[in-house]
Amino acid sequence: MTKQIHLAAHFPGVNNTTVWSDPAAGSHIEFSSFARFAQAAERGKFDFLFLAEGLRLREQNGEIYDLDVVGRPDTFTVLAALAAVTDRLGLTGTINSTFNEPYEVARQFATLDHLSGGRAAWNVVTSWDAFTGENFRRGGFLAQDQRYERARTFLETVLELTGSWRGDEIVADKDSGVFLRDPQAGSFRHRDAHFDIAGRFDVPRSPQGHPVVFQAGDSEEGREFAAASADAIFSRHSTKDAGQAFYADVKGRLARYGRSRDSLLVLPAATFVIGDTDAQAAELAHEVRRQQVSGQTALRFLEQVWNRDLSGYDPDGPLPEVDPVVGEGHVAQGRAQVRMYRDPVATARQWRELAAEKGYSIRELMIEVQSRQTFVGSPGTVAASIDDLVQSDASDGFILVPHITPGGLDPFVDTVVPLLQERGVFRADYEGTTLRDHLGLPPVGVPDA
Amino acid sequence: MSGPAPHLHLAVALDGAGWHPAAWREPDARPGELFTPGYWVDLVQEAQRGLLDLVTLEDGLSLQSTDRYGPDDRTDQVRGRLDAVQVAARVAPVTEGIGLVPTAVVTHTEPFHLSKAIATLDHVSTGRAGVRVKVGSSPAEAAHFGRRTLPALGSIDPRDPAVQAGLRELFDEAADWVEVVRGLWDSWEDDAEIRDAATGRFVDRAKLHPVDFAGRWFSVRGPSITPRPPQGQPVVTALAHQAVPYQLVGRSADVGFVTPRDAADATAIVAEIRAAQAAAGRAAETVHVLGDLVVHLDDDPAAAVARRRRLDDLAGAEHVSDAWVFAGSPAQLADLLEEWHGAGLTGFRLRPATLPHDLVQVTRGLVPELQRRGRFRTAYEATTLRGHLGLPRPANRYAAV
């Protein structure tokens, strides 16, 4: 059976994928940028818009990292405002389960779901670094074995709160004077190692019952967490083989939780460069990669593996002969990707070999290893690759990350979406009103009275 | 301040179906729509038609209750509400001119989160954001967070020194909270974003500042993740009924909402706030003191009085409030406001007893009456909330002069 493709739009983030120096690049803060971006996604009948989050400005070598976009607005506030300028587009916010409290997050997502008519989604992330914790009451430390435990119990608690209203409590009968049918509406009690709370939740049941739940994370615990609790999982596996392996692994875990294979969507992040022809797109993609990885950016990337100050090196020269510093402290803080390099000494060895073989400078190497776009080609080529990856179970769709704010999604919407629609693998128009409708997820059940 | 300004400032406080407990049973009430965006958009657009300075949006971190210290299990009044910051954000793109001031409970929330939320509301509304800071003193509310337990202050004599000390602590924490929020708003200088292609730098990191606040209840490093809002400092407001909160207004706020019973009371309260302001070294700054009033309005004063009585009957008790409850015609209300304005208040926050009726009476009855008397603007003269309030855009505390 032909699968329907799901598409989402990731607002360009605070990393080097976003090319702020392009003449077409606009504000990352002004609401007009968000409105324009969201409206493009809705014009393209996308499932949802996605906002990432970072709760402390990144630092490297003890200073705020200034080569990428810096700064972003508050997630809930932007999403609530976007609900005013869109009608159908899902609104997904990344919200941390470490630096928040369940009662507050539950009312924020329930509110967003009300204000958007059932379009709210929560990407649950967990963080544990003391660096970010310095901005918050509770601080940041969380023992490694408690990270997903806290996220899991946090999510469970939020769903208990949003589920504390069945949806039929408000009568509001002016004649009889009965506003509320149930004097105990919203009652809850939750006690575990992380949260001991009780009382009355104060937001009545929202259109979707609770937000759609997303989980991002590739670790064993992350996959299991998603299989147990999430409606969709984000990943970074954009090659076919890796995507298929991940897809099979995650979907294979669902049965253990009594869930069907279509109850969890696998949605990898993907970048794209579109040209009139494949050749033109390839040329453009090369140019974009050079914009994304300046000489300075290449050195900073290298520092994230070498874990030492390399500012004295020439980015157009050869790789350092010194080895990476292995240890606790890290030159880069507030950045998820540094943890990708679990064995920096081995990475350094591979990179030196690759650079020697191809004659790469530091910058050329970094362009090669860091910055490959997922989809490069003519609209027809890109549409065919996306369709192939979805039909061959490497994913259920993609979260597209444009490199220009706010207009970077337009070429995709204008040229690739119509081709996917022609192929009959992407909706010609929204068929439902809620994000659960778009994602083909069943309604959230109401507990028995 | 030297004598009353010719114009007075007008705000409206929005809460549920209105401030009277039986408001939701009025013929024009929309109690089934309280959780839909259209309801709030209509109300704020109506307030904007009246050229009001701002609307406040009530909020709390517990279900409404007639018992300040816990749920009352009543089923005959409005229960449940939406997060006020998001309601303000939802309304922002479809309004212009009017200030948007959601309530934030400071006792249980992270100043870092609220600072960026209000800064973002200011970006989304292009300079119309404020925040009303509210202390959460209820033990029931504290139990929703499980981080601390609060004593049931209501079960003890409010004059008990222990109660006063507990209250002072909550308000001291609120003052710290405002200090951090304000510091974070300034933690980016206005021109920190440079997008300098020549050097590859997006920001000038010398113009980003840690706030490095360390206090008794929390410490916050900073800088914010959100650039300085359009107003520089969104407007900070607080409702105050007695000495301790008056000090918070004097120390930390741009606008205080107070609840005088008459003109003499208004004069006394304003004097107390001015003294607190001077003690905090802010004598030269503009701090507005707006009088809160619950209003029942009809062109025929007898109709307003009768309506109030009818609502009281429906509710089963006379509606008593922390604020003075007024019933009469817009012209009579204008007389009262002029008198209290003369007593030292710089404006008023009106709490419509019912919605939309009493709001419409404000915008289409009271406002034209005040305009005829030369006491209220006939068009928005500024685009920001600070502008409406005559507050300058402040210099950044961290910027080198």
Side-chain angles (χ1 to χ4, degrees):
Chain A
M1 198 187 97
T2 309
K3 283 162 70 184
Q4 288 295 302
I5 294 168
H6 297 283
L7 292 176
H10 186 306
F11 190 83
V14 295
N15 54 46
N16 77 304
T17 302
T18 307
V19 179
W20 55 260
S21 56
D22 192 285
S27 172
H28 288 258
I29 301 298
E30 286 170 20
F31 182 64
S32 55
S33 284
F34 289 88
R36 180 168 165 208
F37 188 81
Q39 285 164 345
E42 188 160 84
R43 183 159 51 84
K45 314 298 177 194
F46 276 42
D47 293 67
F48 60 91
L49 168 123
F50 179 90
L51 293 185
E53 185 184 57
L55 296 171
R56 181 151 177 196
L57 299 183
R58 292 167 171 179
E59 293 187 3
Q60 193 153 328
N61 301 322
E63 291 185 306
I64 288 168
Y65 191 84
D66 60 2
L67 301 180
D68 295 337
V69 168
V70 181
R72 54 176 127 215
D74 178 68
T75 300
F76 283 118
T77 312
V78 167
L79 293 179
L82 284 176
V85 297
T86 55
D87 289 320
R88 289 288 181 270
L89 185 69
L91 302 168
T92 304
T94 303
I95 293 293
N96 197 288
S97 62
T98 308
F99 306 114
N100 286 290
E101 295 294 331
Y103 194 93
E104 201 180 0
V105 169
R107 76 195 302 275
Q108 286 170 318
F109 274 113
T111 296
L112 181 62
D113 206 42
H114 278 291
L115 292 177
S116 64
R119 299 188 276 140
W122 175 19
N123 177 35
V124 187
V125 295
T126 176
S127 176
W128 47 84
D129 58 303
F131 174 74
T132 305
E134 285 177 3
N135 283 336
F136 297 97
R137 285 178 187 258
R138 82 169 291 283
F141 179 77
L142 205 54
Q144 177 143 19
D145 60 346
Q146 289 186 9
R147 290 168 192 172
Y148 272 99
E149 175 58 21
R150 163 124 182 161
R152 193 189 57 70
T153 185
F154 191 105
L155 171 62
E156 193 180 292
T157 311
V158 167
L159 299 187
E160 277 172 36
L161 291 166
T162 53
S164 66
W165 289 72
R166 298 165 40 83
D168 59 358
E169 293 90 346
I170 294 178
V171 187
D173 180 27
K174 292 180 183 179
D175 293 335
S176 68
V178 176
F179 183 83
L180 210 56
R181 176 176 285 139
D182 175 7
Q184 294 298 317
S187 294
F188 69 91
R189 160 142 214 86
H190 181 100
R191 180 182 285 174
D192 64 30
H194 295 273
F195 307 106
D196 181 2
I197 59 175
R200 302 281 295 277
F201 187 55
D202 68 340
V203 185
R205 193 177 182 85
S206 71
Q208 292 189 111
H210 62 67
V212 174
V213 174
F214 295 156
Q215 135 74 17
D218 206 10
S219 64
E220 173 63 25
E221 299 98 314
R223 294 177 188 206
E224 205 59 30
F225 177 65
S229 318
D231 299 306
I233 183 166
F234 296 154
S235 67
R236 294 192 179 274
H237 303 279
S238 43
T239 69
K240 192 167 178 174
D241 290 349
Q244 285 174 326
F246 180 79
Y247 192 94
D249 176 89
V250 172
K251 298 261 179 174
R253 295 170 190 247
L254 291 165
R256 245 178 290 157
Y257 297 95
R259 303 180 66 192
S260 67
R261 283 176 70 83
D262 53 7
S263 64
L264 176 71
L265 301 175
V266 175
L267 301 172
T271 51
F272 60 90
V273 176
I274 296 160
D276 290 342
T277 63
D278 287 354
Q280 197 197 54
E283 202 174 306
L284 189 56
H286 179 72
E287 191 45 46
V288 170
R289 286 202 297 276
R290 288 187 58 79
Q291 288 180 304
Q292 288 170 330
V293 184
S294 68
Q296 289 185 80
T297 296
L299 282 179
R300 299 291 92 76
F301 272 151
L302 208 62
E303 286 178 347
Q304 289 164 22
V305 175
W306 258 253
N307 196 22
R308 58 169 48 176
D309 183 351
L310 300 175
S311 51
Y313 284 81
D314 176 5
D316 296 319
L319 269 67
E321 287 175 12
V322 293
D323 271 332
V325 175
V326 180
E328 279 299 298
H330 206 283
V331 297
Q333 301 218 68
R335 190 184 275 276
Q337 71 206 57
V338 297
R339 291 189 294 272
M340 280 163 44
Y341 305 111
R342 295 203 172 101
D343 184 351
V345 176
T347 302
R349 193 186 320 117
Q350 287 162 15
W351 285 2
R352 281 202 199 97
E353 285 167 9
L354 181 62
E357 185 192 328
K358 306 263 189 175
Y360 285 154
S361 67
I362 290 174
R363 184 179 178 201
E364 287 164 337
L365 177 82
M366 288 298 106
I367 288 173
E368 180 64 26
V369 301
Q370 281 276 358
S371 216
R372 283 272 160 220
Q373 293 95 347
T374 318
F375 300 114
V376 177
S378 68
T381 300
V382 171
S385 326
I386 289 175
D387 193 15
D388 174 54
L389 287 167
V390 172
Q391 302 312 333
S392 59
D393 282 351
S395 82
D396 293 309
F398 292 92
I399 296 174
L400 297 167
V401 190
H403 62 270
I404 302 277
T405 308
L409 199 62
D410 296 354
F412 189 96
V413 166
D414 294 335
T415 66
V416 179
V417 166
L419 297 179
L420 294 172
Q421 289 166 332
E422 268 174 38
R423 285 171 171 257
V425 292
F426 188 66
R427 67 177 69 85
D429 202 352
Y430 293 108
E431 285 157 22
T433 58
T434 69
L435 178 54
R436 294 193 79 85
D437 292 339
H438 307 338
L439 295 173
L441 298 167
V444 174
V446 177
D448 293 332
Chain B
M1 229 183 225
S2 59
H7 279 190
L8 47 81
H9 295 279
L10 269 189
V12 157
L14 298 177
D15 186 22
W19 288 76
H20 196 288
W24 67 271
R25 299 180 66 180
E26 283 291 277
D28 66 339
R30 296 158 65 187
E33 297 173 47
L34 299 177
F35 308 99
T36 64
Y39 178 75
W40 298 99
V41 168
D42 289 349
L43 293 177
V44 179
Q45 288 181 340
E46 182 60 37
Q48 178 176 282
R49 237 167 260 135
L51 306 173
L52 304 189
D53 293 68
L54 60 97
V55 292
T56 59
L57 299 160
E58 291 303 303
D59 206 356
L61 296 172
S62 58
L63 205 60
Q64 300 94 322
S65 177
T66 47
D67 177 350
R68 285 185 61 193
Y69 303 97
D72 60 5
D73 295 349
R74 286 182 75 146
T75 57
D76 63 334
Q77 298 179 1
V78 168
R79 293 291 180 267
R81 60 180 145 211
L82 301 176
D83 178 78
V85 174
Q86 284 189 56
V87 172
R90 174 62 182 75
V91 166
V94 290
T95 52
E96 50 188 324
I98 192 151
L100 302 168
V101 182
T103 300
V105 175
V106 302
T107 310
H108 305 291
T109 56
E110 293 282 0
F112 192 87
H113 285 316
L114 263 301
S115 174
K116 68 183 161 59
I118 302 302
T120 301
L121 180 62
D122 207 42
H123 285 290
V124 164
S125 65
T126 52
R128 296 183 284 128
V131 61
R132 177 200 154 202
V133 297
K134 178 183 169 189
V135 157
S137 61
S138 125
E141 199 167 69
H144 294 163
F145 290 82
R147 267 198 299 229
R148 62 173 104 190
T149 49
L150 293 175
L153 295 177
S155 61
I156 322 168
D157 183 343
R159 288 161 303 181
D160 183 327
V163 173
Q164 283 296 316
L167 200 63
R168 197 165 298 118
E169 282 206 8
L170 289 172
F171 278 89
D172 281 346
E173 182 181 356
D176 278 5
W177 192 98
V178 173
E179 177 62 22
V180 169
V181 165
R182 285 190 180 283
L184 288 167
W185 286 336
D186 274 351
S187 65
W188 290 56
E189 293 184 37
D190 291 320
D191 53 355
E193 185 178 312
I194 51 171
R195 293 185 183 237
D196 184 26
T199 60
R201 295 178 307 146
F202 184 81
V203 289
D204 178 353
R205 60 165 78 105
K207 294 184 173 179
L208 300 177
H209 305 276
V211 299
D212 274 334
F213 181 90
R216 196 171 142 200
W217 293 276
F218 42 75
S219 42
V220 174
R221 171 93 172 124
S224 179
I225 59 166
T226 305
R228 195 169 193 236
Q231 294 182 102
Q233 292 278 314
V235 173
V236 176
T237 74
L239 171 64
H241 301 100
Q242 53 157 302
V244 172
Y246 292 157
Q247 282 160 21
L248 177 71
V249 172
R251 274 164 82 178
S252 306
D254 302 299
V255 179
F257 305 121
V258 299
T259 52
R261 320 306 292 183
D262 55 38
D265 195 17
T267 302
I269 292 169
V270 170
E272 219 176 319
I273 288 178
R274 297 292 172 231
Q277 197 184 332
R282 299 178 67 214
E285 293 178 35
T286 299
V287 175
H288 286 287
V289 183
L290 305 191
D292 270 22
L293 290 150
V294 178
V295 295
H296 300 257
L297 296 168
D298 282 292
D299 291 341
D300 173 6
V305 172
R307 206 159 52 81
R308 178 184 177 188
R309 194 167 304 130
R310 183 163 49 77
L311 286 162
D312 284 348
D313 287 346
L314 280 173
E318 185 188 349
H319 175 220
V320 289
S321 168
D322 56 325
W324 184 252
V325 182
F326 175 90
S329 69
Q332 287 174 328
L333 179 59
D335 292 344
L336 181 96
L337 301 190
E338 284 199 279
E339 186 199 346
W340 289 18
H341 190 235
L345 296 172
T346 53
F348 299 89
R349 184 176 75 146
L350 304 177
R351 306 181 188 177
T354 68
L355 291 170
H357 176 89
D358 293 302
L359 170 63
V360 174
Q361 287 288 317
V362 168
T363 54
R364 305 185 193 196
L366 175 69
V367 164
E369 179 64 30
L370 289 171
Q371 287 169 333
R372 275 191 290 276
R373 300 182 188 193
R375 308 306 302 270
F376 196 65
R377 67 174 69 87
T378 52
Y380 282 120
E381 285 148 17
T383 57
T384 67
L385 176 54
R386 292 189 74 91
H388 302 332
L389 294 170
L391 300 167
R393 190 174 190 278
N396 190 316
R397 73 190 63 190
Y398 298 110
V401 182

